[in-house]
Amino acid sequence: MLEPALSPGERTGIIRDGVAVGVATGAYGVGFGAVAVSSGLSVAQTCVLSLLMFTGASQFALAGVVAAGGAPMSGAATALLLGTRNTLYGLRMAPLLKWGGWRRVAAAHVLIDESTAMSVSRSSTEGARLGFLTTGVSVFVLWNLSTAIGAFAGEAVGDPRTFGLDAAVGAAFLALLWPRLKDRRNVVVGVLAAVVALSMVPLSAPGVPVLAAGGVAVLVGVLTKRQDPTEIPGVDDVAGGHR
Amino acid sequence: MWTAILLACAGCYLLKLAGLSLPQRVLAHPTVERVADLIPVALLAALVAVQVVSDGRSLTVDARVLGLGFAVVALLLRAPFLVVVVGAAVVAALARLV
């Protein structure tokens, strides 16, 4: 079936929205850079995370677990568990984007919250691809630039407590979680997970409580039957997406 | 540290590629989909809690709680991410000065 081509106006609109999200998201890469360095990662390690891992919540998680004194591998495991979210996005996006071969291999790298949110609602493959690429590429470029800036700034600051950078990490996680809290069951899961994690803190090695909280997700997922309306992020759920 | 970072980077990329490559019927099992969907919610909530009221081995309440309080108010007011994060840091830093 032939889809109608995008009009020049539609193309401009999609590109403008994608770049706006890139700018807004890129801006908080400064926060990641500063937080990661104050967690004990080197500037090089921080920049490699943004270049190669390139999925904000997982990056913050790795830094956060390391900051709390957790083993690097606990941080990696938490990052991977959070990264499974992108697999769900991919399954949802594949029939829309219809890419194969090297294009799919390249596109996978910029498959993140923002690129999904800005293309999942497009009605044509052309529109979805354009939204996905403009958002994904502009976030990638700006996120990496701002990570480097934040990393060098964080290094200059030294002790994370000086400018409250340790408090910024919790706020960042809450902001990442926020769009999902529109759903009442997610609020219950979040509260249970927080209680489980905190009760594990005195009992286990740093990094383990967060992984243990993942058990709450398994339990609730097995025991409940309802689908979650907030599963795939919408335009309103990403920085710079709403006006 | 480098080993953990590079392994996690490779793993996160493969998770993305798997999403674009796996057959759609993977999603057909509702329990798998629900669990995968709830994992980020549980992990992020746990990360918030551990970041704000623990110092690694024990629970403690300090200026970070005030920072988180600011973040909640800012998010309720639909403030942008950067305002939420920077504001929380500033509030915690100011609280420590007092």
Side-chain angles (χ1 to χ4, degrees), chain A residues 113-183:
Chain A
D113 294 345
E114 288 78 14
S115 53
T116 301
M118 298 309 287
S119 58
V120 74
S121 54
R122 307 287 175 201
S123 50
S124 67
T125 293
E126 192 190 357
R129 285 178 172 178
L130 188 64
F132 184 87
L133 279 182
T134 47
T135 311
V137 171
S138 53
V139 172
F140 184 77
V141 171
L142 293 162
W143 177 253
N144 277 287
L145 279 176
S146 59
T147 296
I149 294 170
F152 283 112
E155 201 178 42
V157 168
D159 181 1
R161 293 168 49 90
T162 315
F163 291 106
L165 280 179
D166 55 340
V169 190
F173 286 128
L174 184 67
L176 292 168
L177 174 63
W178 199 258
R180 302 294 304 273
L181 296 181
K182 278 182 278 189
D183 183 61

Side-chain angles (χ1 to χ4, degrees), chain A residues 28 45 53-54 64 68 80 87 90-92 105 108-109 161 163-164 166 180 190 193 204 210 221 224-226 228 231, chain B residues 1-2 8 11 13 15-16 19 21 24 33-34 37-38 41-43 45-46 48 51 56-57 75 81 88-89 92 96:
Chain A
Y28 72 76
Q45 288 167 337
M53 185 177 280
F54 189 54
L80 284 174
T87 309
L91 284 164
R92 200 56 49 91
V105 170
H109 195 54
R161 293 168 49 90
F163 291 106
D166 55 340
R180 302 294 304 273
S204 57
V210 172
T224 61
K225 292 271 172 279
R226 201 168 51 82
D228 174 6
E231 179 182 338
Chain B
M1 182 57 78
W2 273 112
Y13 173 74
L15 285 168
K16 294 173 180 174
S21 310
Q24 293 295 308
E33 190 184 357
R34 271 197 308 275
D37 166 45
L38 288 173
V41 176
L43 291 188
V48 172
Q51 282 302 318
R57 296 306 317 237
L75 285 164
F81 186 96
R96 285 183 181 130

